[in-house]
Amino acid sequence: MEIDIWSLLSDVVLLLSACLVMGGVFSRLGQSPLVGYLLAGMFLGGPGSLHLVKSEHEIEAIAELGVSLLLFSLGLEFSISRLRKLGPVPLVGGVLQVVLTLLAAAGMAYLFGYGPGEATAIGAMVALSSTAVVLRTLMERHELETPYGSNALGVLLIQDIAVVPLAILISLLTGGDDTGSVLTNIGRVLAVATGLIIGLYLLLNVVAYYALNALELARNRELTILLSAVTGLGSAWAAHKAGISPALGAFVAGMFLGSSPYATQVRADISPLRVLLLTLFFGSAGMIADPVWIVQNALMLFIAVAVLLTLKFVIITLIFLCFQNLLQTSLATAVCLSQVGEFAFVLGRIAGDAGVITEATLNLFVSVTIVSLFLSPFLVAKSNRIARWILKLFPKAITNTSRTSQIVTPQPDVLIVGFGPAGQIAGRAAVERNLVTMVIDINRSNIRKAGQLGMHGQVGDASQFDVLEHSHISSVKVVVITLPNVRSTIAISDIIRQLAPQAHIIVRSRYQRDTDEILSSGADIVFGDELEVGQQIGNHLCDWISSYQRKQNPDVMPPTIE
């Protein structure tokens, strides 16, 4: 059947326009724009919609390229050094989270009557959280460097990498549920994937390397854009022709190209095209969902969402407790990551195209994911508050947590909250003057460092009333708060002012704009990173100018800079 290109273009423009409007509305409401894209597709095309978009199948085909470019971008970002910076706990925790959630969700689906292959695909879809929503919300609230923010970042990075093996796993299920078919399919996929990887490696690291140098790629912006498009889309096409997922081919190509000197420019050049195609992808994913079906089955849908959120919440909490995180940190991390993320659409599309899951199952889990994404910004923004609320419901848990971290110490003169570089400098100054110094930090390695420097340490979250009370706060003369997160700083300052009204509170603030709010919470003085760094730069600049003027005119005295 001949495709009417102008009708297709009209539908694409209509869908993108609706995504623009809905994405802007939901962004203004504090939601992820992805939710707006999904709703735009849900109401414009597909079952139970207004049927304004007629070319949904053609748009779905175009949108598949968006998935490939998304995986291509992930390949460009893949870096062993980036993983090491996060430390072992979030990374190992991420691997355990993906594996355990997949197994638990698949087992639950199997008990509800799904076949082994379909249950496994469901587990893979549920295992992933929303990178876009979680990281954006944490960054906007300046909470990415909090303990639970760091945990969430590490797990999300592992989840992004896990998309590729999970997609391979789903591809291996296409032969049916019997062992022989699965083994045959495993052999075929591995053989084809190995050949594709070798071919892409030779093409991108040997042939393209010399060709691109000859073309003087670094001097020509247009050529880097063409390189991005040819590599990303070409590798997806090669994988499709080889009979495996196009997204996998794009990821491998991105990974190889990510080690080249052109990786940074390629990443920037492909970004607009990726945004365009991904918007179409989420719009077309919304077309799968049926708003009429969602309304009619609202109770079942919300029960499914509640069960899946609870399942992931429990698994993530237990994992980080096993790594000796504080209970509140583990709970806050679990709240951040409990939703089903946007990669469920990617894996669902792969599973649906391969016939691993039925259309009804795909419709159900697309609807579950949409509802989950609706809740995500609220859950992430309130994660620490929800964790505290849970602890209040179980007072024994918070009491036990405080007892395990409590260390018997003399009455301290100085209390330091947060023992990073700034806290360590302040602590050394206090110890040199023979002041009894107590350190509260959520990181056990920092507490060990405090002990080595002659201070008393206590593992705990200083935003908890009990933790501060058990640190003999009533006798403290000076409190130094060096935390990077302004919300935690304000909460701690407020509690200290209640427990120790006599204490002189010194606060380090990352941003100058937060100074007034911190002072109003009870702090006596605030040292802003921006102001301190600016003053040091200004002093250095003045010294350099004076030195330069003396060298240029040794007989003339330079003017005094006041």
Side-chain angles (χ1 to χ4, degrees):
M1 183 178 70
E2 185 177 353
I3 299 176
D4 185 348
I5 187 64
W6 297 112
S7 296
L8 175 59
L9 180 60
S10 173
D11 286 343
V12 168
V13 171
L14 177 61
L15 180 58
L16 288 176
S17 300
C19 289
L20 173 64
V21 174
M22 295 293 287
V25 169
F26 277 86
S27 180
R28 186 67 180 267
L29 295 174
Q31 292 277 345
S32 168
L34 297 182
V35 178
Y37 305 158
L38 292 166
L39 287 180
M42 185 190 302
F43 288 105
L44 289 182
S49 69
L50 300 176
H51 297 289
L52 297 178
V53 173
K54 311 292 184 184
S55 310
E56 59 262 28
H57 297 298
E58 290 80 3
I59 291 176
E60 286 176 9
I62 297 173
E64 287 184 11
L65 297 177
V67 180
S68 299
L69 288 181
L70 175 61
L71 271 294
F72 178 69
S73 300
L74 287 179
L76 289 171
E77 297 285 350
F78 184 80
S79 169
I80 300 298
S81 60
R82 184 183 178 191
L83 295 175
R84 286 176 178 168
K85 289 179 182 177
L86 293 171
V89 172
L91 301 181
V92 177
V95 173
L96 289 174
Q97 183 272 320
V98 171
V99 173
L100 294 179
T101 305
L102 189 154
L103 293 175
M108 187 177 295
Y110 184 74
L111 292 177
F112 276 94
Y114 291 96
E118 199 167 16
T120 303
I122 291 171
M125 293 164 64
V126 170
L128 304 179
S129 306
S130 177
T131 302
V133 174
V134 175
L135 290 188
R136 176 178 176 174
T137 306
L138 289 175
M139 289 174 68
E140 287 177 350
R141 295 177 58 83
H142 310 295
E143 294 178 351
L144 201 54
E145 294 183 12
T146 60
Y148 56 89
S150 178
N151 286 344
L153 176 61
V155 172
L156 289 169
L157 185 58
I158 292 298
Q159 287 182 354
D160 287 349
I161 296 171
V163 173
V164 175
L166 289 178
I168 294 175
L169 174 65
I170 291 174
S171 300
L172 297 178
L173 302 173
T174 57
D177 291 334
D178 59 288
T179 305
S181 299
V182 172
L183 291 176
T184 301
N185 203 35
I186 289 175
R188 181 189 68 81
V189 171
L190 290 179
V192 173
T194 301
L196 180 66
I197 290 171
I198 294 173
L200 287 173
Y201 177 81
L202 294 174
L203 180 64
L204 294 174
N205 288 274
V206 180
V207 178
Y209 178 78
Y210 293 105
L212 294 176
N213 284 337
L215 292 171
E216 296 185 334
L217 186 68
R219 300 183 183 181
N220 196 319
R221 178 71 184 275
E222 290 83 359
L223 292 181
T224 62
I225 296 174
L226 289 176
L227 173 66
S228 306
V230 169
T231 307
L233 301 178
S235 56
W237 171 82
H240 171 73
K241 295 299 288 185
I244 60 177
S245 170
L248 304 184
F251 177 82
V252 173
M255 195 167 55
F256 287 145
L257 195 60
S259 60
S260 74
Y262 310 112
T264 301
Q265 190 60 52
V266 168
R267 225 176 274 128
D269 290 334
I270 205 170
S271 180
L273 181 60
R274 186 191 68 180
V275 169
L276 180 66
L277 293 177
L278 275 178
T279 303
L280 284 176
F281 169 74
F282 285 110
S284 65
M287 293 180 189
I288 302 173
D290 183 349
V292 175
W293 181 90
I294 290 176
V295 173
Q296 292 174 343
N297 299 273
L299 179 61
M300 181 191 71
L301 180 60
F302 282 103
I303 290 174
V305 171
V307 169
L308 292 176
L309 290 178
T310 304
L311 177 69
K312 294 185 72 173
F313 173 81
V314 171
I315 290 173
I316 296 169
T317 299
L318 293 176
I319 287 173
F320 282 97
L321 280 177
C322 290
F323 284 109
Q324 297 185 325
N325 276 230
L326 292 178
L327 180 56
Q328 182 174 332
T329 302
S330 302
L331 291 172
T333 304
V335 174
C336 284
L337 300 173
S338 59
Q339 79 286 133
V340 181
E342 60 273 3
F343 276 113
F345 298 119
V346 177
L347 298 178
R349 180 63 59 84
I350 294 173
D353 292 343
V356 176
I357 62 176
T358 64
E359 186 175 344
T361 302
L362 182 58
N363 183 28
L364 170 62
F365 279 91
V366 165
S367 303
V368 166
T369 305
I370 290 174
V371 175
S372 175
L373 288 174
F374 263 117
L375 300 173
S376 297
F378 170 79
L379 292 174
V380 177
K382 306 295 184 183
S383 57
N384 204 29
R385 186 176 299 180
I386 293 172
R388 291 178 190 168
W389 176 75
I390 294 173
L391 288 174
K392 288 180 181 178
L393 291 179
F394 303 96
K396 290 185 179 179
I398 188 170
T399 301
N400 291 338
T401 303
S402 299
R403 286 175 180 171
T404 56
S405 60
Q406 183 182 1
I407 299 175
V408 178
T409 62
Q411 300 291 322
D413 300 308
V414 178
L415 173 64
I416 298 176
V417 179
F419 204 60
Q424 292 170 27
I425 292 171
R428 288 192 183 97
V431 171
E432 287 173 0
R433 287 158 180 79
N434 298 317
L435 296 174
V436 179
T437 304
M438 162 74 78
V439 173
I440 298 179
D441 197 293
I442 209 163
N443 191 322
R444 296 175 188 274
S445 63
N446 284 344
I447 296 302
R448 286 195 294 270
K449 188 178 297 182
Q452 294 168 359
L453 295 174
M455 305 172 212
H456 304 280
Q458 177 174 308
V459 177
D461 182 356
S463 63
Q464 293 183 16
F465 191 93
D466 287 16
V467 171
L468 283 174
E469 196 172 38
H470 289 154
S471 65
H472 307 291
I473 185 71
S474 58
S475 68
V476 168
K477 299 176 180 64
V478 181
V479 178
V480 180
I481 305 174
T482 68
L483 301 177
N485 181 252
V486 64
R487 294 295 150 208
S488 298
T489 297
I490 291 171
I492 293 167
S493 180
D494 184 58
I495 296 173
I496 291 172
R497 188 52 70 208
Q498 298 175 42
L499 295 175
Q502 82 289 344
H504 182 72
I505 302 177
I506 304 170
V507 174
R508 164 250 179 161
S509 172
R510 169 167 286 187
Y511 301 106
Q512 198 66 26
R513 63 172 182 258
D514 298 323
T515 299
D516 291 340
E517 190 174 4
I518 295 172
L519 288 171
S520 65
S521 70
D524 292 294
I525 187 169
V526 178
F527 291 95
D529 289 0
E530 293 174 328
L531 181 60
E532 295 299 315
V533 171
Q535 287 178 343
Q536 291 186 36
I537 292 174
N539 292 337
H540 176 77
L541 177 61
C542 292
D543 292 341
W544 185 89
I545 291 173
S546 299
S547 176
Y548 178 78
Q549 289 176 338
R550 283 195 296 270
K551 291 178 181 178
Q552 296 295 110
N553 302 293
D555 298 329
V556 179
M557 292 295 292
T560 302
I561 301 177
E562 296 182 356

